[in-house]
Amino acid sequence: MQVTRQCSTCGIFLKSRTDFLFFGTSMAALRRGVACLNFFRSTVTTVVNSRKPLRQKVERFTDVTRTSLAALSVGGGLSAVPFLQQVEHLSHESLVRRASSMVTDSANTYLSQTTQALVDSITQYSKAIHTLIALQRRYLASLGKLSTAEEDAIWQLIIGQRVEVGDRLDECNRFESNWNNAINLCQLAAEVTHNTGAEQASITARSCMQSAKFQVEEIRRISAEAERKLAETKAEEIQRMAEYASLIECGGDDVQEAYLRED
């Protein structure tokens, strides 16, 4: 019994000594940790103070983050207040107005492309007409002076050029049909945007129509002048050919030579 009590006492004594040593070790570690923390804090403070722009950026980022978190935390959990504010502006009238503006933009683009195509096709048509006029006048100027082979060659050029003029005219008619559809579509889009309250889109559409009509009218005036000259050249050709044929029929070679000398 005495031995047991001594062992128990030694055990208690050893346990108390172990706890004391552990406690002392923990306190030493704690003091070292506090010292390290104080050193780290002083170092960070020195670096931040020496870099004020970076500190300002961090402060701004912190403010933005706090504001965002505050907005998200209203009412508990994730708040949809900013999203709801955006949804409030997306009313039916707003959506219809936006859709009409998009349609108007597409109509303006379609009108611009068809106008350019029509202007280019009419320009090529006018050039083809002027080339035909030049060939016909060349033939009239050399009437009676060409051999049969030369006359056939120039007539082949004239016929080929007349075919090209016809093809260019068909192309003009095709693009003009598209252009008329674009004008009608743009007119309708301008009315729709006006009715939905998108005044700026309506004004833009009407301005595009005016510009397109002006361009087409100008190029049509040029082609009309070319067609007028072609008609005059054709009438002159018919008259000269009739005179030349009648002189040959009545006077023979002598009259033909006299006719050529007059030219």
Side-chain angles (χ1 to χ4, degrees):
M1 295 296 292
Q2 184 178 0
V3 176
T4 304
R5 285 195 298 267
Q6 288 178 356
C7 292
S8 299
T9 303
C10 293
I12 294 172
F13 174 75
L14 291 175
K15 181 177 182 182
S16 300
R17 184 180 179 85
T18 304
D19 292 341
F20 174 77
L21 293 175
F22 178 78
F23 178 75
T25 305
S26 299
M27 289 299 294
L30 180 60
R31 283 194 297 271
R32 287 195 298 271
V34 171
C36 292
L37 180 61
N38 291 333
F39 175 77
F40 178 74
R41 183 179 300 171
S42 61
T43 304
V44 171
T45 303
T46 304
V47 173
V48 171
N49 289 334
S50 63
R51 299 182 179 180
K52 292 183 179 180
L54 178 60
R55 183 179 183 181
Q56 293 175 356
K57 292 181 179 180
V58 172
E59 290 176 355
R60 286 197 298 269
F61 176 77
T62 303
D63 294 338
V64 172
T65 305
R66 289 175 179 174
T67 304
S68 302
L69 291 175
L72 291 174
S73 62
V74 173
L78 295 177
S79 175
V81 173
F83 178 75
L84 291 177
Q85 290 177 353
Q86 294 180 0
V87 172
E88 289 176 357
H89 296 291
L90 298 179
S91 61
H92 290 300
E93 294 181 357
S94 177
L95 292 173
V96 170
R97 185 162 53 252
R98 292 184 183 184
S100 64
S101 298
M102 294 176 62
V103 171
T104 303
D105 292 339
S106 299
N108 293 338
T109 302
Y110 179 53
L111 178 60
S112 176
Q113 295 298 326
T114 54
T115 300
Q116 187 63 43
L118 179 58
V119 169
D120 290 344
S121 63
I122 294 177
T123 300
Q124 296 300 322
Y125 170 65
S126 300
K127 290 181 179 180
I129 289 178
H130 285 294
T131 301
L132 179 59
I133 292 173
L135 289 174
Q136 289 181 341
R137 287 180 175 176
R138 177 185 173 186
Y139 173 73
L140 292 177
S142 60
L143 188 64
K145 302 176 184 180
L146 300 173
S147 64
T148 303
E150 293 174 340
E151 187 173 353
D152 291 340
I154 194 171
W155 264 109
Q156 290 297 324
L157 291 176
I158 292 174
I159 293 173
Q161 192 61 30
R162 286 176 178 175
V163 171
E164 182 177 354
V165 170
D167 294 339
R168 295 294 183 183
L169 182 59
D170 293 338
E171 186 180 50
C172 289
N173 293 332
R174 185 173 67 256
F175 283 124
E176 186 174 5
S177 176
N178 294 332
W179 183 78
N180 288 328
N181 293 333
I183 287 291
N184 295 332
L185 180 60
C186 204
Q187 178 67 35
L188 182 60
E191 294 175 359
V192 169
T193 50
H194 175 72
N195 293 333
T196 57
E199 291 296 335
Q200 186 60 41
S202 178
I203 293 173
T204 302
R206 297 183 188 279
S207 177
C208 289
M209 283 190 294
Q210 292 178 357
S211 177
K213 290 179 179 179
F214 177 78
Q215 294 181 51
V216 172
E217 287 175 0
E218 286 295 316
I219 199 65
R220 280 176 175 171
R221 182 182 60 79
I222 296 174
S223 65
E225 182 66 18
E227 290 174 345
R228 184 185 65 81
K229 291 181 180 181
L230 179 62
E232 292 177 355
T233 303
K234 185 64 177 178
E236 181 182 357
E237 178 186 355
I238 293 174
Q239 182 180 358
R240 293 287 299 274
M241 291 293 294
E243 291 176 356
Y244 181 71
S246 63
L247 288 174
I248 292 179
E249 182 179 355
C250 295
D253 294 337
D254 295 336
V255 176
Q256 180 180 0
E257 292 178 359
Y259 177 78
L260 295 175
R261 285 196 298 271
E262 289 179 359
D263 292 339

Short mmCIF file of all heavy atoms in Angstrom, two decimals, residues 63-90:
data_model
loop_
_atom_site.label_atom_id
_atom_site.label_comp_id
_atom_site.label_asym_id
_atom_site.label_seq_id
_atom_site.Cartn_x
_atom_site.Cartn_y
_atom_site.Cartn_z
N ASP A 63 -13.69 49.22 -51.51
CA ASP A 63 -14.97 49.92 -51.50
C ASP A 63 -15.94 49.30 -52.48
O ASP A 63 -17.12 49.10 -52.19
CB ASP A 63 -14.76 51.40 -51.84
CG ASP A 63 -13.96 52.11 -50.75
OD1 ASP A 63 -13.96 51.59 -49.61
OD2 ASP A 63 -13.34 53.14 -51.05
N VAL A 64 -15.43 48.99 -53.70
CA VAL A 64 -16.31 48.37 -54.71
C VAL A 64 -16.79 47.03 -54.23
O VAL A 64 -17.95 46.65 -54.39
CB VAL A 64 -15.56 48.24 -56.06
CG1 VAL A 64 -16.38 47.43 -57.04
CG2 VAL A 64 -15.26 49.62 -56.62
N THR A 65 -15.88 46.27 -53.62
CA THR A 65 -16.27 44.94 -53.13
C THR A 65 -17.31 45.04 -52.03
O THR A 65 -18.29 44.29 -52.01
CB THR A 65 -15.03 44.21 -52.60
OG1 THR A 65 -14.03 44.18 -53.63
CG2 THR A 65 -15.37 42.80 -52.18
N ARG A 66 -17.10 45.99 -51.14
CA ARG A 66 -18.09 46.16 -50.06
C ARG A 66 -19.45 46.58 -50.62
O ARG A 66 -20.49 46.12 -50.16
CB ARG A 66 -17.58 47.21 -49.07
CG ARG A 66 -16.39 46.73 -48.23
CD ARG A 66 -15.86 47.84 -47.35
NE ARG A 66 -14.75 47.38 -46.53
CZ ARG A 66 -14.02 48.20 -45.75
NH1 ARG A 66 -14.30 49.51 -45.71
NH2 ARG A 66 -13.03 47.71 -45.03
N THR A 67 -19.41 47.51 -51.63
CA THR A 67 -20.68 47.94 -52.23
C THR A 67 -21.40 46.78 -52.89
O THR A 67 -22.61 46.61 -52.78
CB THR A 67 -20.41 49.05 -53.26
OG1 THR A 67 -19.71 50.10 -52.61
CG2 THR A 67 -21.71 49.57 -53.83
N SER A 68 -20.61 45.95 -53.64
CA SER A 68 -21.23 44.80 -54.31
C SER A 68 -21.79 43.81 -53.30
O SER A 68 -22.89 43.29 -53.47
CB SER A 68 -20.20 44.11 -55.20
OG SER A 68 -19.68 45.01 -56.14
N LEU A 69 -21.02 43.57 -52.23
CA LEU A 69 -21.50 42.64 -51.22
C LEU A 69 -22.74 43.19 -50.52
O LEU A 69 -23.66 42.45 -50.20
CB LEU A 69 -20.39 42.39 -50.20
CG LEU A 69 -19.18 41.58 -50.72
CD1 LEU A 69 -18.11 41.50 -49.64
CD2 LEU A 69 -19.61 40.20 -51.15
N ALA A 70 -22.76 44.51 -50.31
CA ALA A 70 -23.94 45.10 -49.68
C ALA A 70 -25.17 44.96 -50.56
O ALA A 70 -26.27 44.69 -50.10
CB ALA A 70 -23.67 46.59 -49.37
N ALA A 71 -24.96 45.16 -51.90
CA ALA A 71 -26.09 45.01 -52.81
C ALA A 71 -26.59 43.59 -52.85
O ALA A 71 -27.79 43.32 -52.96
CB ALA A 71 -25.68 45.47 -54.21
N LEU A 72 -25.63 42.63 -52.77
CA LEU A 72 -26.03 41.24 -52.83
C LEU A 72 -26.64 40.74 -51.53
O LEU A 72 -27.39 39.77 -51.51
CB LEU A 72 -24.82 40.36 -53.18
CG LEU A 72 -24.26 40.52 -54.60
CD1 LEU A 72 -22.98 39.71 -54.75
CD2 LEU A 72 -25.29 40.10 -55.62
N SER A 73 -26.29 41.43 -50.42
CA SER A 73 -26.76 40.95 -49.13
C SER A 73 -28.07 41.57 -48.68
O SER A 73 -28.58 41.23 -47.62
CB SER A 73 -25.69 41.26 -48.06
OG SER A 73 -25.48 42.65 -47.96
N VAL A 74 -28.63 42.50 -49.50
CA VAL A 74 -29.89 43.12 -49.10
C VAL A 74 -30.99 42.08 -49.13
O VAL A 74 -31.19 41.39 -50.13
CB VAL A 74 -30.24 44.29 -50.05
CG1 VAL A 74 -31.62 44.82 -49.73
CG2 VAL A 74 -29.21 45.40 -49.88
N GLY A 75 -31.75 41.99 -48.06
CA GLY A 75 -32.84 41.03 -47.99
C GLY A 75 -32.37 39.63 -47.70
O GLY A 75 -33.17 38.69 -47.73
N GLY A 76 -31.04 39.46 -47.48
CA GLY A 76 -30.54 38.12 -47.17
C GLY A 76 -30.26 37.33 -48.42
O GLY A 76 -31.09 37.26 -49.32
N GLY A 77 -29.07 36.76 -48.52
CA GLY A 77 -28.72 35.95 -49.67
C GLY A 77 -28.42 36.83 -50.86
O GLY A 77 -28.06 38.00 -50.74
N LEU A 78 -28.57 36.28 -52.08
CA LEU A 78 -28.29 37.01 -53.31
C LEU A 78 -29.47 37.89 -53.65
O LEU A 78 -30.59 37.43 -53.80
CB LEU A 78 -28.02 36.01 -54.46
CG LEU A 78 -26.76 35.15 -54.28
CD1 LEU A 78 -26.66 34.18 -55.44
CD2 LEU A 78 -25.52 36.02 -54.21
N SER A 79 -29.18 39.19 -53.84
CA SER A 79 -30.25 40.14 -54.16
C SER A 79 -30.27 40.39 -55.66
O SER A 79 -29.22 40.44 -56.30
CB SER A 79 -30.02 41.47 -53.43
OG SER A 79 -30.97 42.42 -53.83
N ALA A 80 -31.44 40.55 -56.24
CA ALA A 80 -31.59 40.79 -57.68
C ALA A 80 -32.01 42.21 -57.96
O ALA A 80 -32.65 42.49 -58.97
CB ALA A 80 -32.62 39.82 -58.26
N VAL A 81 -31.65 43.16 -57.07
CA VAL A 81 -32.08 44.54 -57.26
C VAL A 81 -31.54 45.14 -58.54
O VAL A 81 -32.28 45.72 -59.33
CB VAL A 81 -31.69 45.39 -56.02
CG1 VAL A 81 -31.99 46.85 -56.27
CG2 VAL A 81 -32.45 44.90 -54.80
N PRO A 82 -30.18 45.05 -58.83
CA PRO A 82 -29.70 45.62 -60.10
C PRO A 82 -30.35 44.97 -61.30
O PRO A 82 -30.68 45.63 -62.28
CB PRO A 82 -28.19 45.35 -60.05
CG PRO A 82 -27.88 45.17 -58.61
CD PRO A 82 -29.10 44.53 -58.01
N PHE A 83 -30.52 43.65 -61.26
CA PHE A 83 -31.16 42.96 -62.38
C PHE A 83 -32.60 43.41 -62.55
O PHE A 83 -33.09 43.61 -63.66
CB PHE A 83 -31.09 41.46 -62.15
CG PHE A 83 -31.76 40.66 -63.22
CD1 PHE A 83 -31.16 40.49 -64.46
CD2 PHE A 83 -33.01 40.10 -63.02
CE1 PHE A 83 -31.77 39.76 -65.45
CE2 PHE A 83 -33.62 39.36 -64.00
CZ PHE A 83 -33.01 39.21 -65.22
N LEU A 84 -33.30 43.60 -61.44
CA LEU A 84 -34.68 44.05 -61.52
C LEU A 84 -34.77 45.44 -62.09
O LEU A 84 -35.71 45.78 -62.83
CB LEU A 84 -35.34 44.00 -60.13
CG LEU A 84 -35.58 42.59 -59.56
CD1 LEU A 84 -36.15 42.70 -58.16
CD2 LEU A 84 -36.51 41.80 -60.46
N GLN A 85 -33.79 46.30 -61.79
CA GLN A 85 -33.80 47.64 -62.34
C GLN A 85 -33.64 47.60 -63.85
O GLN A 85 -34.26 48.38 -64.57
CB GLN A 85 -32.68 48.46 -61.72
CG GLN A 85 -32.92 48.80 -60.24
CD GLN A 85 -31.75 49.56 -59.64
OE1 GLN A 85 -30.72 49.72 -60.28
NE2 GLN A 85 -31.91 50.00 -58.41
N GLN A 86 -32.82 46.68 -64.36
CA GLN A 86 -32.70 46.55 -65.80
C GLN A 86 -33.96 45.98 -66.43
O GLN A 86 -34.38 46.40 -67.49
CB GLN A 86 -31.50 45.65 -66.13
CG GLN A 86 -30.16 46.25 -65.73
CD GLN A 86 -29.01 45.34 -66.07
OE1 GLN A 86 -29.21 44.26 -66.62
NE2 GLN A 86 -27.81 45.77 -65.74
N VAL A 87 -34.56 45.03 -65.77
CA VAL A 87 -35.77 44.42 -66.31
C VAL A 87 -36.91 45.43 -66.38
O VAL A 87 -37.74 45.40 -67.28
CB VAL A 87 -36.17 43.20 -65.47
CG1 VAL A 87 -37.52 42.65 -65.89
CG2 VAL A 87 -35.10 42.12 -65.59
N GLU A 88 -36.93 46.36 -65.43
CA GLU A 88 -38.01 47.35 -65.43
C GLU A 88 -37.98 48.19 -66.70
O GLU A 88 -39.02 48.63 -67.18
CB GLU A 88 -37.88 48.25 -64.20
CG GLU A 88 -38.22 47.54 -62.89
CD GLU A 88 -37.98 48.44 -61.70
OE1 GLU A 88 -37.50 49.57 -61.89
OE2 GLU A 88 -38.27 47.99 -60.58
N HIS A 89 -36.78 48.42 -67.28
CA HIS A 89 -36.67 49.22 -68.50
C HIS A 89 -37.02 48.41 -69.74
O HIS A 89 -37.25 48.99 -70.79
CB HIS A 89 -35.25 49.78 -68.63
CG HIS A 89 -34.88 50.73 -67.53
ND1 HIS A 89 -35.45 51.98 -67.40
CD2 HIS A 89 -34.01 50.60 -66.50
CE1 HIS A 89 -34.93 52.59 -66.35
NE2 HIS A 89 -34.07 51.77 -65.79
N LEU A 90 -37.01 47.10 -69.67
CA LEU A 90 -37.31 46.25 -70.83
C LEU A 90 -38.80 45.97 -70.89
O LEU A 90 -39.25 44.84 -70.82
CB LEU A 90 -36.52 44.95 -70.74
CG LEU A 90 -35.00 45.09 -70.79
CD1 LEU A 90 -34.33 43.74 -70.66
CD2 LEU A 90 -34.56 45.78 -72.07
#
